[in-house]
């Protein structure tokens, strides 16, 4: 299994265009701190790749990943990008689908039923993209399925939250598959990666999936539960916003430290001190045996 991290930031990226907090100011002053929206590129087979979540940065993310670029030759429009796998219907994870309208051979979109309905029908991407390219909507469930007919990679959804995006607040009953973690299993090597950029609760099902994985990417949006209130952009705690914090009694760090696999945090908010590579919190994570994922890092299993 071959993965490239395309981005590691939460909504708005780092820096965020309308913010001058210390994290954003630091990223402007030190461009090496910049982070694009959280996403992965996953090799499905020879010359065929999928991205996990299609962010507003997808064009720049593709350009920064040579394996996703079309090769020079007779057919200059033959792209290695075959499709998108969605963890949820949030705008920061879905707006990039519209950027794929030039896909000559169409594009697969794998998502759970409520996420598909929100993105295809409520956002209208099914209607909007129809005149440009073929979008093949494929359902993602808790039963593992191949990314495509030739792929050794199987993907399954692990429900983590019934939280839905604001634009779909009135669309149907609550459903635990509005936000999922992705279990990505390579049947050839036997290795598994668990990707959870948003995690509202540490359930028994998530614990089981995390223990079975060789590499776990986990929601690192906020360092502690009071960060959103302390930063002044919300009256809610991190948990109240649907993101378990990293540190503290209800945080994920002590749980991840007990897991057998490699654990990395992703989806960092612009207010998270981990956006500064010199922050003391990095030493705390290292002491727990945990890491922060970096844009453009490559993981091969």
């Amino acid at each position: 299994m071959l993965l490239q991290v395309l981005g590691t930031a939460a909504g708005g990226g780092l820096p965020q265009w309308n913010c001058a907090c210390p994290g954003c100011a630091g990223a402007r002053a030190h461009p090496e701190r910049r982070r694009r929206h959280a996403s992965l590129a996953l090799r499905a087979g020879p010359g065929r790749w999928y991205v996990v979540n299609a962010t507003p940065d997808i064009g720049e993310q593709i350009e920064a990943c040579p394996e996703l670029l079309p090769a020079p030759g007779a057919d200059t429009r033959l792209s290695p990008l075959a499709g998108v796998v969605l963890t949820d219907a949030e705008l920061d994870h879905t707006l990039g689908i519209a950027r794929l309208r030039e896909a000559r051979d169409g594009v697969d979109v794998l998502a759970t039923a409520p996420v598909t309905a929100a993105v295809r029908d409520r956002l209208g991407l099914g209607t909007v993209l129809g005149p440009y390219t073929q979008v093949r909507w494929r359902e993602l469930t808790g039963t593992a399925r191949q990314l495509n007919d030739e792929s050794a990679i199987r993907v399954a959804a692990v429900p983590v939250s019934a939280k839905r995006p604001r634009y779909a607040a009135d669309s149907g009953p609550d459903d635990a598959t509005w936000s999922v973690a992705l279990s990505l299993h390579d049947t050839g090597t036997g290795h598994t990666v668990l990707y959870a950029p948003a995690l509202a609760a540490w359930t028994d099902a998530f614990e089981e999936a995390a223990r079975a994985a060789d590499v776990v990417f986990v929601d690192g949006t906020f360092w502690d539960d009071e960060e959103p209130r302390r930063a002044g952009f919300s009256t809610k705690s991190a948990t109240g916003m649907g993101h378990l914090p990293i540190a503290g009694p209800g945080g994920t760090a002590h749980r991840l430290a007990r897991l057998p696999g490699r654990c990395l945090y992703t989806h960092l908010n612009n207010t998270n001190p981990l956006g500064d590579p010199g922050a003391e919190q990095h030493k705390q994570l290292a002491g727990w045996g945990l890491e922060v994922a970096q844009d453009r890092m490559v993981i091969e299993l």
Side-chain angles (χ1 to χ4, degrees), residues 35-49:
R35 293 175 182 264
R36 294 184 173 122
H37 287 87
S39 178
L40 290 178
L42 169 65
R43 187 173 65 186
R48 302 301 283 167
W49 289 72

Side-chain angles (χ1 to χ4, degrees), residues 1-4 40-52 65 67-68 80-82 147-148 150-154 184-186 189 298-301:
M1 185 185 302
L2 183 63
L3 301 166
Q4 177 156 337
L40 290 178
L42 169 65
R43 187 173 65 186
R48 302 301 283 167
W49 289 72
Y50 282 73
V51 295
V52 176
C65 182
E67 289 82 0
L68 295 180
L81 183 58
L147 283 177
N148 59 39
E150 296 80 31
S151 180
I153 307 298
R154 298 177 67 84
L184 304 162
H185 179 70
D186 189 330
T189 66
V298 175
I299 294 178
E300 187 167 8
L301 296 171

